[in-house]
Amino acid sequence: MKYNLTAQEKEHLERRTAEAEERTGAQIVLAVIERSDAYPELPWKAFALGASVGGLAAVVLELLQPEWFSFPGGLGAVILALGAGAACAFGAVVLPGFARFFLDGNRAEMETRQYAESLFLSRELFATRGRRGVLVLVSLFEHRVVVLPDRGLGERLDAQARREIIAPMTAALAAGRVGSALEQGLTGVEKVLGPTGTGQGGENELPDGLIEERGP
């Protein structure tokens, strides 16, 4: 899945990250992930739907226009069902928007959260004085956002605060405005933490550059 962030936009986000860190004392990391899981079941779900619709269409055609649909032994119904199923499965592979139609919301939420937690650990975002790191992650395929604070920020960035940060980010992400979503995340974190909200200094301990990964 592709998204359009120019080099200038990335530089702007890096500057904004440094500014937000200086104001709040937090260590903020932005990440963009193409997808948080491979979801191998989605093409099969699409195939099942297509085959069902194709089979129903074959029955209707047989009833309404039997002279146009005169394959022996129900072969026409099989061909139409399998063809429709294969077309839908292919669509789920090459068209993210179509595949997303078959993605369970709870599954998307869980996989994005797990990816964020794994990234937090693998990038050692916990390695800050006062445990004041926070990961702001957007997963493009799922249209999901995770704000994951370390324990030094957990009280300020509680569940309600994170929901308030995530809501405008999700709307921007759904509209394809990835850069805007990330900037709104920075603004939301700044608003919640306030000036030097952690009581720590502004020393930069984590890279300010955007993390970009394809995912599984």
Side-chain angles (χ1 to χ4, degrees), residues 25-118:
Q27 293 293 301
I28 306 169
V29 175
L30 304 180
V32 177
I33 310 303
E34 288 193 13
R35 59 170 60 207
S36 295
D37 191 77
Y39 304 110
E41 75 277 11
L42 298 187
W44 289 105
K45 288 183 177 181
F47 178 87
L49 177 64
S52 298
V53 172
L56 179 61
V59 171
V60 172
L61 284 172
E62 180 69 28
L63 292 174
L64 296 180
Q65 299 289 345
E67 67 278 8
W68 292 358
F69 205 71
S70 57
F71 290 87
L75 181 60
V78 173
I79 292 173
L80 186 56
L82 292 179
C88 286
F90 180 75
V93 171
V94 300
L95 300 173
F98 181 66
R100 197 180 300 116
F101 175 77
F102 300 95
L103 179 60
D104 178 74
N106 291 330
R107 172 88 189 279
E109 202 75 42
M110 179 187 70
E111 295 295 345
T112 305
R113 176 78 184 188
Q114 288 182 349
Y115 197 101
E117 291 171 349
S118 175

Side-chain angles (χ1 to χ4, degrees), residues 104-184:
D104 178 74
N106 291 330
R107 172 88 189 279
E109 202 75 42
M110 179 187 70
E111 295 295 345
T112 305
R113 176 78 184 188
Q114 288 182 349
Y115 197 101
E117 291 171 349
S118 175
L119 183 64
F120 196 99
L121 293 175
S122 66
R123 297 285 181 140
E124 298 185 353
L125 304 188
F126 54 82
T128 61
R129 289 181 298 125
R131 301 293 295 269
R132 51 199 172 89
V134 54
L135 173 65
V136 179
L137 178 144
V138 300
S139 195
L140 300 178
F141 174 72
E142 295 85 352
H143 285 177
R144 292 295 192 277
V145 176
V146 174
V147 177
L148 186 60
D150 208 342
R151 64 188 183 190
L153 300 174
E155 289 188 8
R156 287 179 176 270
L157 288 171
D158 59 14
Q160 179 59 35
R162 294 197 300 271
R163 283 193 291 268
E164 292 175 1
I165 295 170
I166 288 171
M169 291 184 67
T170 303
L173 184 60
R177 302 194 309 272
V178 179
S180 176
L182 293 168
E183 185 154 13
Q184 288 187 58

